[in-house]
Amino acid sequence: MRGLLRPIAPFVTLAAVLLAWLLAVRVFGAPPMLLPDPADTARSFRAALRSGELATDALATVASAAAGYAIGCSFAFALAACMALSRTAERMLMVPVMAFQSIPKVALAPLIYLWVGFGARSSVTLVALACIYPVFVNGFTGFRAVDQNLVDLLRSAGAGPGRIFWSVRLPAAAPQLFVGLEVSVVFALLAAVVMELVAGERGLGVRIQSASATLDVATVFGALAVLAAIGILASALLRAVRRRLVFWQRDTGGVEATA
């Protein structure tokens, strides 16, 4: 019975949310300006899909988020490895990293617009900055949590720092790194939409802003649904890659550590 419920549980939850939405609108009379009818939202979604505008905006957001995600996560991985392997680097960089993390990345959006300019480059920059810390903190923790006995064993066998890193430290940190990567997916979409609201030319953030200006709440809900779907698909893809690469760890079906 439990095996049967597991695949259908998300759809049961989705059906419950849709039912509550219908009741709020059609039974309790929620104002359309605050909560649109699901049928109106579906019609607006289909119209935008047929016109190609929704696909164009979604692709623009995904492209900016993916580019910034790759840049930010790559930098965070290198930073975590450097600081985990070198106490000197840790002492020099830990305080600046923590100080940078304490700044809300959303607050940097106007500055990035002034520095980088209008359009996709601003989105890529903010996404990269937003993705650094989750990968860094999980990677740093994972690299430092390696079994020292294994390190000593390889070192006694004549292995150099590079061999030890790829054979021991990276596999030990891989589960934690994937936690950071999954958390960063959420941050990437958030940063991309925020930057599109500030200085975007295309994207779901621009679509949400223009629809809000005309009180087209149904279009806003449609764009939010697309963002949710993108996040779910990206997380599912990361979990599939994690199961393939980190095959020795039992899959828990989600994020099991904080960022």
Side-chain angles (χ1 to χ4, degrees):
M1 187 65 177
R2 182 178 299 177
L4 178 64
L5 288 176
R6 184 173 181 178
I8 67 172
F11 299 100
V12 173
T13 303
L14 179 61
V17 171
L18 291 175
L19 179 60
W21 186 0
L22 279 171
L23 290 174
V25 172
R26 300 186 181 182
V27 176
F28 297 101
M33 189 178 297
L34 300 179
L35 193 64
D37 190 284
D40 294 336
T41 302
R43 282 192 293 269
S44 175
F45 183 85
R46 285 196 300 268
L49 202 59
R50 283 196 299 267
S51 68
E53 294 178 357
L54 184 60
T56 301
D57 289 336
L59 285 174
T61 298
V62 169
S64 298
Y69 180 86
I71 295 170
C73 292
S74 299
F75 177 80
F77 173 83
L79 183 64
C82 176
M83 292 175 61
L85 297 176
S86 171
R87 295 288 181 178
T88 301
E90 180 186 0
R91 287 192 292 269
M92 292 178 61
L93 297 176
M94 183 59 76
V95 172
V97 169
M98 298 302 295
F100 174 75
Q101 172 57 22
S102 67
I103 301 173
K105 301 305 174 288
V106 175
L108 296 176
L111 283 176
I112 291 173
Y113 166 63
L114 294 175
W115 292 339
V116 181
F118 200 77
R121 289 182 300 175
S122 295
S123 295
V124 171
T125 302
L126 185 62
V127 170
L129 294 176
C131 291
I132 290 174
Y133 192 73
V135 177
F136 163 76
V137 70
N138 283 283
F140 180 79
T141 302
F143 288 133
R144 279 290 173 85
V146 66
D147 187 350
Q148 191 60 39
N149 291 326
L150 291 176
V151 175
D152 293 339
L153 178 63
L154 263 71
R155 189 173 291 147
S156 65
R163 178 65 181 276
I164 293 173
F165 178 82
W166 292 108
S167 299
V168 177
R169 294 189 186 276
L170 184 58
Q176 288 287 96
L177 282 169
F178 272 98
V179 171
L181 290 171
E182 191 169 340
V183 172
S184 290
V185 167
V186 179
F187 287 3
L189 290 174
L190 173 64
V193 171
V194 166
M195 202 66 231
E196 287 169 355
L197 291 172
V198 175
E201 295 175 318
R202 297 293 303 180
L204 293 172
V206 176
R207 186 174 188 82
I208 291 171
Q209 186 179 51
S210 60
S212 299
T214 59
L215 302 181
D216 186 0
V217 185
T219 296
V220 173
F221 270 62
L224 293 176
V226 173
L227 281 170
I230 292 170
I232 291 171
L233 290 174
S235 295
L237 177 62
L238 272 174
R239 285 196 293 271
V241 173
R242 177 180 181 170
R243 284 193 295 269
R244 178 62 63 87
L245 296 181
V246 193
F247 53 86
W248 59 88
Q249 186 187 52
R250 181 177 64 88
D251 182 29
T252 59
V255 177
E256 64 269 334
T258 60

